[in-house]
Amino acid sequence: MVIEILSNLVSMLLYIVPILYFLPFKLRHFQKAILFLLIFFNILLIKYLSGNIGAILLLFTVCTYISLIHSERLLSICTVVGSYLFCVVLDNLLSVLMQALGISIDWIKQNQLIYLTVFLILQNILCPPISYALKRFLKKVKLNFPPKLMIMILTNLFSCLMIFLFNIVIGEYIGYTTKILAFNCILFSCYFIFSTYLIVNMIQAYMDKAQMELREDSYQKLQLYTTQIEQMYSSLRSFKHDYFNVMLSMSGYIDAEDM
């Protein structure tokens, strides 16, 4: 009973740790407490009632809550979905690695708390550098994404998510074997890497376009400034010419003593 409770608590931490690391903003203690309860409740549903298909409800409730507490709703949803995909890929990689070391699936099931603890330690090793790189990247692009770009990124993440969930549910139905785990690991890793590469390219293309528009705008402003300077210079020349003519006429009258 104690081991089962600990397993549920560790499972909850496995979902929440990447979210807390990857979110572009910090949650207050009260907000973290609500998030803990949401994830813990969904973990219980997945384990005792709905199975892995309950991950859809988990993601829906967490995405809804995160989007309600921050103005960057699309970015928050992308972060939650990306965190879940990261967990799925890491889970499969760890399972395949442990089997490669001679640890069977049955042993993993019987010693789930040990497996989950190793998983949690691995998460806390990998998440900080990934989070640092991600936040530096977001800071570089300054989060000025248009809604269309964010929707495209979110659509790509959800497509990836549907493939992951489909394979997870089918694997649960037919039973996880070494071959299935290896296949899922390769599939998830390749698709996750491809999706990440695609998203980065989309963001890079947007940044290049934004920089080009900025340079074009700067050039147009420079052209306008140059035109205004030329007009001012032309007006100044005209004034100098008129002034010189007036002074020349006055000088003539003065020389002729015609006051």
Side-chain angles (χ1 to χ4, degrees), residues 162-185:
M162 290 300 103
I163 293 175
F164 281 27
L165 288 175
F166 177 78
N167 277 273
I168 290 170
V169 172
I170 293 299
E172 183 183 36
Y173 178 75
I174 64 177
Y176 286 105
T177 63
T178 303
K179 290 183 178 180
I180 290 176
L181 281 173
F183 173 77
N184 283 347
C185 181

PDB file of all heavy atoms in Angstrom, residues 162-185:
ATOM      1  N   MET A 162      -1.013  12.820 -31.064  1.00  0.00           N
ATOM      2  CA  MET A 162      -1.986  11.800 -31.466  1.00  0.00           C
ATOM      3  C   MET A 162      -1.291  10.500 -31.873  1.00  0.00           C
ATOM      4  O   MET A 162      -1.752   9.404 -31.549  1.00  0.00           O
ATOM      5  CB  MET A 162      -2.839  12.325 -32.623  1.00  0.00           C
ATOM      6  CG  MET A 162      -3.822  13.427 -32.248  1.00  0.00           C
ATOM      7  SD  MET A 162      -5.020  12.900 -30.977  1.00  0.00           S
ATOM      8  CE  MET A 162      -4.353  13.701 -29.517  1.00  0.00           C
ATOM      9  N   ILE A 163      -0.174  10.627 -32.582  1.00  0.00           N
ATOM     10  CA  ILE A 163       0.582   9.431 -32.972  1.00  0.00           C
ATOM     11  C   ILE A 163       1.123   8.721 -31.734  1.00  0.00           C
ATOM     12  O   ILE A 163       1.052   7.490 -31.610  1.00  0.00           O
ATOM     13  CB  ILE A 163       1.730   9.818 -33.932  1.00  0.00           C
ATOM     14  CG1 ILE A 163       1.157  10.309 -35.265  1.00  0.00           C
ATOM     15  CG2 ILE A 163       2.669   8.640 -34.162  1.00  0.00           C
ATOM     16  CD1 ILE A 163       2.197  10.825 -36.229  1.00  0.00           C
ATOM     17  N   PHE A 164       1.653   9.489 -30.794  1.00  0.00           N
ATOM     18  CA  PHE A 164       2.183   8.905 -29.562  1.00  0.00           C
ATOM     19  C   PHE A 164       1.090   8.187 -28.782  1.00  0.00           C
ATOM     20  O   PHE A 164       1.257   7.040 -28.354  1.00  0.00           O
ATOM     21  CB  PHE A 164       2.801  10.000 -28.694  1.00  0.00           C
ATOM     22  CG  PHE A 164       4.177  10.434 -29.126  1.00  0.00           C
ATOM     23  CD1 PHE A 164       4.576  10.320 -30.441  1.00  0.00           C
ATOM     24  CD2 PHE A 164       5.072  10.959 -28.216  1.00  0.00           C
ATOM     25  CE1 PHE A 164       5.835  10.731 -30.844  1.00  0.00           C
ATOM     26  CE2 PHE A 164       6.346  11.359 -28.605  1.00  0.00           C
ATOM     27  CZ  PHE A 164       6.722  11.252 -29.926  1.00  0.00           C
ATOM     28  N   LEU A 165      -0.047   8.854 -28.600  1.00  0.00           N
ATOM     29  CA  LEU A 165      -1.135   8.268 -27.809  1.00  0.00           C
ATOM     30  C   LEU A 165      -1.692   7.012 -28.478  1.00  0.00           C
ATOM     31  O   LEU A 165      -2.008   6.029 -27.805  1.00  0.00           O
ATOM     32  CB  LEU A 165      -2.257   9.289 -27.608  1.00  0.00           C
ATOM     33  CG  LEU A 165      -1.955  10.443 -26.649  1.00  0.00           C
ATOM     34  CD1 LEU A 165      -3.104  11.437 -26.630  1.00  0.00           C
ATOM     35  CD2 LEU A 165      -1.699   9.918 -25.236  1.00  0.00           C
ATOM     36  N   PHE A 166      -1.801   7.057 -29.798  1.00  0.00           N
ATOM     37  CA  PHE A 166      -2.301   5.884 -30.530  1.00  0.00           C
ATOM     38  C   PHE A 166      -1.395   4.687 -30.301  1.00  0.00           C
ATOM     39  O   PHE A 166      -1.871   3.572 -30.008  1.00  0.00           O
ATOM     40  CB  PHE A 166      -2.388   6.209 -32.026  1.00  0.00           C
ATOM     41  CG  PHE A 166      -2.815   5.045 -32.871  1.00  0.00           C
ATOM     42  CD1 PHE A 166      -4.146   4.662 -32.926  1.00  0.00           C
ATOM     43  CD2 PHE A 166      -1.884   4.329 -33.608  1.00  0.00           C
ATOM     44  CE1 PHE A 166      -4.542   3.582 -33.709  1.00  0.00           C
ATOM     45  CE2 PHE A 166      -2.260   3.249 -34.388  1.00  0.00           C
ATOM     46  CZ  PHE A 166      -3.600   2.873 -34.440  1.00  0.00           C
ATOM     47  N   ASN A 167      -0.093   4.893 -30.420  1.00  0.00           N
ATOM     48  CA  ASN A 167       0.849   3.786 -30.215  1.00  0.00           C
ATOM     49  C   ASN A 167       0.857   3.312 -28.764  1.00  0.00           C
ATOM     50  O   ASN A 167       0.991   2.109 -28.495  1.00  0.00           O
ATOM     51  CB  ASN A 167       2.255   4.220 -30.630  1.00  0.00           C
ATOM     52  CG  ASN A 167       2.491   4.100 -32.121  1.00  0.00           C
ATOM     53  OD1 ASN A 167       2.882   3.061 -32.612  1.00  0.00           O
ATOM     54  ND2 ASN A 167       2.227   5.163 -32.841  1.00  0.00           N
ATOM     55  N   ILE A 168       0.718   4.244 -27.813  1.00  0.00           N
ATOM     56  CA  ILE A 168       0.704   3.868 -26.399  1.00  0.00           C
ATOM     57  C   ILE A 168      -0.522   3.023 -26.079  1.00  0.00           C
ATOM     58  O   ILE A 168      -0.428   1.993 -25.404  1.00  0.00           O
ATOM     59  CB  ILE A 168       0.741   5.131 -25.517  1.00  0.00           C
ATOM     60  CG1 ILE A 168       2.113   5.797 -25.611  1.00  0.00           C
ATOM     61  CG2 ILE A 168       0.458   4.771 -24.056  1.00  0.00           C
ATOM     62  CD1 ILE A 168       2.172   7.168 -24.970  1.00  0.00           C
ATOM     63  N   VAL A 169      -1.696   3.452 -26.577  1.00  0.00           N
ATOM     64  CA  VAL A 169      -2.947   2.713 -26.312  1.00  0.00           C
ATOM     65  C   VAL A 169      -2.910   1.341 -26.970  1.00  0.00           C
ATOM     66  O   VAL A 169      -3.286   0.332 -26.363  1.00  0.00           O
ATOM     67  CB  VAL A 169      -4.159   3.533 -26.798  1.00  0.00           C
ATOM     68  CG1 VAL A 169      -5.440   2.703 -26.715  1.00  0.00           C
ATOM     69  CG2 VAL A 169      -4.311   4.797 -25.958  1.00  0.00           C
ATOM     70  N   ILE A 170      -2.438   1.290 -28.217  1.00  0.00           N
ATOM     71  CA  ILE A 170      -2.333  -0.014 -28.912  1.00  0.00           C
ATOM     72  C   ILE A 170      -1.345  -0.921 -28.201  1.00  0.00           C
ATOM     73  O   ILE A 170      -1.591  -2.127 -28.013  1.00  0.00           O
ATOM     74  CB  ILE A 170      -1.909   0.202 -30.380  1.00  0.00           C
ATOM     75  CG1 ILE A 170      -3.010   0.924 -31.157  1.00  0.00           C
ATOM     76  CG2 ILE A 170      -1.587  -1.128 -31.039  1.00  0.00           C
ATOM     77  CD1 ILE A 170      -4.317   0.177 -31.228  1.00  0.00           C
ATOM     78  N   GLY A 171      -0.212  -0.356 -27.766  1.00  0.00           N
ATOM     79  CA  GLY A 171       0.771  -1.146 -27.040  1.00  0.00           C
ATOM     80  C   GLY A 171       0.220  -1.678 -25.738  1.00  0.00           C
ATOM     81  O   GLY A 171       0.499  -2.818 -25.343  1.00  0.00           O
ATOM     82  N   GLU A 172      -0.600  -0.865 -25.040  1.00  0.00           N
ATOM     83  CA  GLU A 172      -1.226  -1.325 -23.797  1.00  0.00           C
ATOM     84  C   GLU A 172      -2.214  -2.451 -24.077  1.00  0.00           C
ATOM     85  O   GLU A 172      -2.340  -3.399 -23.286  1.00  0.00           O
ATOM     86  CB  GLU A 172      -1.941  -0.146 -23.130  1.00  0.00           C
ATOM     87  CG  GLU A 172      -2.572  -0.478 -21.788  1.00  0.00           C
ATOM     88  CD  GLU A 172      -3.318   0.699 -21.215  1.00  0.00           C
ATOM     89  OE1 GLU A 172      -3.939   1.457 -21.995  1.00  0.00           O
ATOM     90  OE2 GLU A 172      -3.301   0.876 -19.982  1.00  0.00           O
ATOM     91  N   TYR A 173      -2.909  -2.360 -25.227  1.00  0.00           N
ATOM     92  CA  TYR A 173      -3.932  -3.353 -25.566  1.00  0.00           C
ATOM     93  C   TYR A 173      -3.306  -4.706 -25.919  1.00  0.00           C
ATOM     94  O   TYR A 173      -3.769  -5.765 -25.474  1.00  0.00           O
ATOM     95  CB  TYR A 173      -4.768  -2.833 -26.727  1.00  0.00           C
ATOM     96  CG  TYR A 173      -5.823  -3.806 -27.199  1.00  0.00           C
ATOM     97  CD1 TYR A 173      -6.993  -4.011 -26.452  1.00  0.00           C
ATOM     98  CD2 TYR A 173      -5.660  -4.507 -28.393  1.00  0.00           C
ATOM     99  CE1 TYR A 173      -7.959  -4.902 -26.882  1.00  0.00           C
ATOM    100  CE2 TYR A 173      -6.620  -5.400 -28.833  1.00  0.00           C
ATOM    101  CZ  TYR A 173      -7.776  -5.598 -28.078  1.00  0.00           C
ATOM    102  OH  TYR A 173      -8.727  -6.484 -28.510  1.00  0.00           O
ATOM    103  N   ILE A 174      -2.237  -4.679 -26.743  1.00  0.00           N
ATOM    104  CA  ILE A 174      -1.649  -5.949 -27.198  1.00  0.00           C
ATOM    105  C   ILE A 174      -0.513  -6.412 -26.291  1.00  0.00           C
ATOM    106  O   ILE A 174      -0.006  -7.525 -26.441  1.00  0.00           O
ATOM    107  CB  ILE A 174      -1.137  -5.834 -28.653  1.00  0.00           C
ATOM    108  CG1 ILE A 174       0.006  -4.815 -28.745  1.00  0.00           C
ATOM    109  CG2 ILE A 174      -2.259  -5.466 -29.586  1.00  0.00           C
ATOM    110  CD1 ILE A 174       0.610  -4.707 -30.144  1.00  0.00           C
ATOM    111  N   GLY A 175      -0.120  -5.562 -25.351  1.00  0.00           N
ATOM    112  CA  GLY A 175       0.957  -5.928 -24.429  1.00  0.00           C
ATOM    113  C   GLY A 175       2.310  -5.439 -24.915  1.00  0.00           C
ATOM    114  O   GLY A 175       2.609  -5.494 -26.114  1.00  0.00           O
ATOM    115  N   TYR A 176       3.089  -4.919 -23.982  1.00  0.00           N
ATOM    116  CA  TYR A 176       4.407  -4.389 -24.330  1.00  0.00           C
ATOM    117  C   TYR A 176       5.438  -5.513 -24.376  1.00  0.00           C
ATOM    118  O   TYR A 176       5.677  -6.204 -23.394  1.00  0.00           O
ATOM    119  CB  TYR A 176       4.846  -3.328 -23.314  1.00  0.00           C
ATOM    120  CG  TYR A 176       4.110  -2.021 -23.456  1.00  0.00           C
ATOM    121  CD1 TYR A 176       3.117  -1.667 -22.549  1.00  0.00           C
ATOM    122  CD2 TYR A 176       4.404  -1.153 -24.503  1.00  0.00           C
ATOM    123  CE1 TYR A 176       2.432  -0.463 -22.694  1.00  0.00           C
ATOM    124  CE2 TYR A 176       3.732   0.055 -24.650  1.00  0.00           C
ATOM    125  CZ  TYR A 176       2.749   0.392 -23.738  1.00  0.00           C
ATOM    126  OH  TYR A 176       2.069   1.574 -23.875  1.00  0.00           O
ATOM    127  N   THR A 177       6.027  -5.679 -25.542  1.00  0.00           N
ATOM    128  CA  THR A 177       7.134  -6.618 -25.699  1.00  0.00           C
ATOM    129  C   THR A 177       8.389  -5.817 -26.021  1.00  0.00           C
ATOM    130  O   THR A 177       8.330  -4.610 -26.261  1.00  0.00           O
ATOM    131  CB  THR A 177       6.856  -7.618 -26.840  1.00  0.00           C
ATOM    132  OG1 THR A 177       6.755  -6.884 -28.078  1.00  0.00           O
ATOM    133  CG2 THR A 177       5.543  -8.364 -26.596  1.00  0.00           C
ATOM    134  N   THR A 178       9.507  -6.508 -26.045  1.00  0.00           N
ATOM    135  CA  THR A 178      10.764  -5.832 -26.353  1.00  0.00           C
ATOM    136  C   THR A 178      10.740  -5.202 -27.737  1.00  0.00           C
ATOM    137  O   THR A 178      11.190  -4.069 -27.938  1.00  0.00           O
ATOM    138  CB  THR A 178      11.934  -6.834 -26.263  1.00  0.00           C
ATOM    139  OG1 THR A 178      11.949  -7.423 -24.961  1.00  0.00           O
ATOM    140  CG2 THR A 178      13.262  -6.130 -26.511  1.00  0.00           C
ATOM    141  N   LYS A 179      10.157  -5.930 -28.706  1.00  0.00           N
ATOM    142  CA  LYS A 179      10.094  -5.410 -30.077  1.00  0.00           C
ATOM    143  C   LYS A 179       9.191  -4.181 -30.167  1.00  0.00           C
ATOM    144  O   LYS A 179       9.511  -3.211 -30.859  1.00  0.00           O
ATOM    145  CB  LYS A 179       9.597  -6.501 -31.028  1.00  0.00           C
ATOM    146  CG  LYS A 179      10.599  -7.624 -31.246  1.00  0.00           C
ATOM    147  CD  LYS A 179      10.079  -8.641 -32.246  1.00  0.00           C
ATOM    148  CE  LYS A 179      11.111  -9.745 -32.486  1.00  0.00           C
ATOM    149  NZ  LYS A 179      10.617 -10.755 -33.460  1.00  0.00           N
ATOM    150  N   ILE A 180       8.063  -4.234 -29.465  1.00  0.00           N
ATOM    151  CA  ILE A 180       7.135  -3.099 -29.489  1.00  0.00           C
ATOM    152  C   ILE A 180       7.773  -1.874 -28.843  1.00  0.00           C
ATOM    153  O   ILE A 180       7.668  -0.757 -29.349  1.00  0.00           O
ATOM    154  CB  ILE A 180       5.806  -3.465 -28.781  1.00  0.00           C
ATOM    155  CG1 ILE A 180       5.035  -4.480 -29.624  1.00  0.00           C
ATOM    156  CG2 ILE A 180       4.958  -2.227 -28.532  1.00  0.00           C
ATOM    157  CD1 ILE A 180       3.779  -4.983 -28.983  1.00  0.00           C
ATOM    158  N   LEU A 181       8.436  -2.092 -27.718  1.00  0.00           N
ATOM    159  CA  LEU A 181       9.101  -0.978 -27.049  1.00  0.00           C
ATOM    160  C   LEU A 181      10.199  -0.379 -27.930  1.00  0.00           C
ATOM    161  O   LEU A 181      10.348   0.846 -28.005  1.00  0.00           O
ATOM    162  CB  LEU A 181       9.688  -1.441 -25.716  1.00  0.00           C
ATOM    163  CG  LEU A 181       8.707  -1.573 -24.545  1.00  0.00           C
ATOM    164  CD1 LEU A 181       9.396  -2.200 -23.343  1.00  0.00           C
ATOM    165  CD2 LEU A 181       8.130  -0.213 -24.168  1.00  0.00           C
ATOM    166  N   ALA A 182      10.971  -1.267 -28.583  1.00  0.00           N
ATOM    167  CA  ALA A 182      12.042  -0.779 -29.467  1.00  0.00           C
ATOM    168  C   ALA A 182      11.456  -0.006 -30.641  1.00  0.00           C
ATOM    169  O   ALA A 182      11.962   1.065 -31.022  1.00  0.00           O
ATOM    170  CB  ALA A 182      12.876  -1.956 -29.965  1.00  0.00           C
ATOM    171  N   PHE A 183      10.355  -0.527 -31.207  1.00  0.00           N
ATOM    172  CA  PHE A 183       9.695   0.162 -32.327  1.00  0.00           C
ATOM    173  C   PHE A 183       9.159   1.527 -31.887  1.00  0.00           C
ATOM    174  O   PHE A 183       9.359   2.529 -32.576  1.00  0.00           O
ATOM    175  CB  PHE A 183       8.557  -0.695 -32.865  1.00  0.00           C
ATOM    176  CG  PHE A 183       7.714   0.005 -33.894  1.00  0.00           C
ATOM    177  CD1 PHE A 183       8.161   0.157 -35.198  1.00  0.00           C
ATOM    178  CD2 PHE A 183       6.472   0.526 -33.549  1.00  0.00           C
ATOM    179  CE1 PHE A 183       7.396   0.820 -36.139  1.00  0.00           C
ATOM    180  CE2 PHE A 183       5.688   1.187 -34.485  1.00  0.00           C
ATOM    181  CZ  PHE A 183       6.150   1.338 -35.785  1.00  0.00           C
ATOM    182  N   ASN A 184       8.479   1.552 -30.741  1.00  0.00           N
ATOM    183  CA  ASN A 184       7.948   2.816 -30.227  1.00  0.00           C
ATOM    184  C   ASN A 184       9.059   3.812 -29.938  1.00  0.00           C
ATOM    185  O   ASN A 184       8.921   5.010 -30.190  1.00  0.00           O
ATOM    186  CB  ASN A 184       7.129   2.582 -28.950  1.00  0.00           C
ATOM    187  CG  ASN A 184       5.746   2.018 -29.252  1.00  0.00           C
ATOM    188  OD1 ASN A 184       5.312   2.015 -30.395  1.00  0.00           O
ATOM    189  ND2 ASN A 184       5.068   1.538 -28.234  1.00  0.00           N
ATOM    190  N   CYS A 185      10.134   3.295 -29.389  1.00  0.00           N
ATOM    191  CA  CYS A 185      11.264   4.166 -29.055  1.00  0.00           C
ATOM    192  C   CYS A 185      11.824   4.828 -30.310  1.00  0.00           C
ATOM    193  O   CYS A 185      12.053   6.042 -30.344  1.00  0.00           O
ATOM    194  CB  CYS A 185      12.345   3.356 -28.349  1.00  0.00           C
ATOM    195  SG  CYS A 185      13.769   4.328 -27.853  1.00  0.00           S
TER     196      CYS A 185
END
